[in-house]
Amino acid sequence: MLGEIRELQRLLLSKTKSTYKRYFYDTFDFDRLTGIIGARGVGKTTFLLQYLKEHRLPMSKKLYFSADSLTVESLFDIAKVFAKEGGELLIIDEIHKFVGFENELKKIYDFLELDVIFSGSSALRLDNSKADLSRRAIVYEVEGLSFREFIELKTGLTLPTFTLDEILHSHVDLAYKILEKIDINLFSEYLEFGYYPFYFDKKSKYKLKLNETINTVIEVDIPSIFNIEYQNIIILKKLIKYLCESSPFTPNITELLQKMNLGSDYRSLYRYLEYLHKAKIITLIRPKTKGDNIFTKPEKIYLNNTNLYNTYCQDSKIGTIREIFFQSMLKVDHTLELPKKGDFLADGEYLFEIGGKSKSFKQIKDIENSYVVADDIEVGFGNKIPLYLFGFLY
């Protein structure tokens, strides 16, 4: 059993490049049971193989396998044999594909002296069973490429990250430093193609690959995690199409129920929206006062990133693309709300209005800590900041 797993591991490692590390590579604080979740295609498997390859332990004491490639009935049995042979680090990819993985991980944690790292869909739930892994596992969530990372992969440059505070208060100086190194025309390429690392595998097939990836999320990943019948998967696809036609979408629930042929079943509608949100296909922005209650009407719905919008939506609206980019960069380390004036309120403190180079302060004038974020400008002034700079937050 371990022989076959090790042979597959050897083949995968031989194809794994260690030259580029994602933004999260050195930030994780690994414990006995550590999870990494994120959208399909953002580089989780590459990271796991890089980590395995470079970990200080000898290869005999570390083991990687993907849960969707197994024919055995028990993850614990594999882990038990590995531990008996002196294994110390076990890495399990695509854990959500294994039925009953929660109890399997709990047994490994409780009975074996192994460090375990697992990866899974961003929709993965760890508190939905008697195993209650949420009390045992540390879980990190990862996102797609930032604009900064895209440039690094594209050009081989090494570029800095900036904090939100640095961008707000030193954006003129930062813009000059960045523009000395990069071609700003790369920003439009990023908006259309740059969020998922597999763009660099075969650029001409990127949108086809992205379509296949999202279909797999909807048809395989979501049903494997949530209780959704196969015939209702078509509703998830219809929701994406409808959001394209309306985005940035401020939902009318009655109208949306009619479009999805759901009658008055608003609870199912909210569940389907939550499934797409958890799977990183859409982003729901809910009223802050309502917390994360999934049965709360979202104030606005976006596709998760600009690449999804450019792939799925036939009529691209530049205003929507700008807002999607901004929220996709900010949400990594910051909270976003929809204010009464302006487009976004970040961390309950900073107000942002998003637009083109002619965007004025008219809608947010005289409001403290308010900023215009403008596309199509290379260097800003005062409280007017170039949109692309927010791609350097991570």
Side-chain angles (χ1 to χ4, degrees), residues 375-391:
D375 194 12
D376 297 324
I377 65 170
E378 296 183 3
V379 180
F381 59 89
N383 282 18
K384 191 167 188 176
I385 306 173
L387 177 63
Y388 72 86
L389 274 182
F390 292 90

Side-chain angles (χ1 to χ4, degrees), residues 146-159:
S146 66
F147 179 43
R148 178 191 68 86
E149 291 181 299
F150 170 75
I151 297 171
E152 289 187 335
L153 278 167
K154 176 89 174 177
T155 66
L157 293 170
T158 299
L159 299 168

